[in-house]
Amino acid sequence: MSVHPRIVRSIPFWILVAGSVAAIGGGTYVLVEKLSHMEATILDNTATGVDVYVGQIWGVFGGILLGAGVVGLALALATAALSSVFPREPRRTAGEQDRHAAVPASEHVISEPVVSERAASEPADSTETTAVSAADTTAPDPATTSTLESPSNDPQQR
């Protein structure tokens, strides 16, 4: 069993981390590049309306992208922290599942009440209970089975 939390092996977690880092990087690039270009053109008096007004929109877009990346990274870190606080039950490997499925039916014990002939003639409070194996395929005693379970061939009881 691995000592790492499950979150370390989670593909969606790493997609969130990578996407958040990419959004932070892309947003920072767009924000800094557009705002520095707009500042340079305004300071040297060569700015046009497109540089000023469209540059502002690109700056806002870069800021939104940067903020979304920061929120995504914060979510990833919070998820990792919660994952370490609430550990999950380890998964069974295929070998362990096969081992549990390979237990033969004869090893399973089913406890059923069995009434002996002696107990059938006595009052109902003195019944014996014994464990019967699931592999036990002997025929039931006709004297102890009810007529609902197996119909009798005796015409008087019909």
Side-chain angles (χ1 to χ4, degrees):
M1 188 172 113
S2 175
V3 294
H4 299 292
R6 265 184 83 179
I7 193 84
V8 174
R9 296 181 310 271
S10 172
I11 292 173
F13 171 76
W14 288 111
I15 289 173
L16 177 63
V17 170
S20 298
V21 170
I24 289 171
T28 302
Y29 173 76
V30 168
L31 181 64
V32 170
E33 194 269 322
K34 291 298 179 181
L35 289 181
S36 63
H37 177 72
M38 187 172 59
E39 181 185 15
T41 56
I42 288 175
L43 289 177
D44 67 4
N45 289 328
T46 60
T48 63
V50 172
D51 290 331
V52 174
Y53 297 115
V54 176
Q56 289 177 7
I57 298 301
W58 277 104
V60 169
F61 174 72
I64 291 171
L65 200 56
L66 175 68
V70 169
V71 168
L73 195 58
L75 268 171
L77 292 175
T79 303
L82 286 175
S83 173
S84 65
V85 170
F86 301 112
R88 295 190 59 170
E89 184 178 315
R91 286 186 175 177
R92 290 185 181 173
T93 61
E96 289 175 345
Q97 289 175 353
D98 290 341
R99 184 186 62 186
H100 290 291
V103 175
S106 63
E107 291 184 19
H108 297 287
V109 176
I110 301 171
S111 179
E112 295 179 5
V114 177
V115 179
S116 67
E117 289 180 28
R118 177 182 51 88
S121 63
E122 293 178 3
D125 62 324
S126 64
T127 59
E128 293 180 15
T129 304
T130 59
V132 176
S133 166
D136 187 12
T137 58
T138 59
D141 185 15
T144 60
T145 56
S146 72
T147 57
L148 295 177
E149 292 175 359
S150 63
S152 174
N153 290 335
D154 187 14
Q156 293 175 355
Q157 290 183 0
R158 286 190 183 176

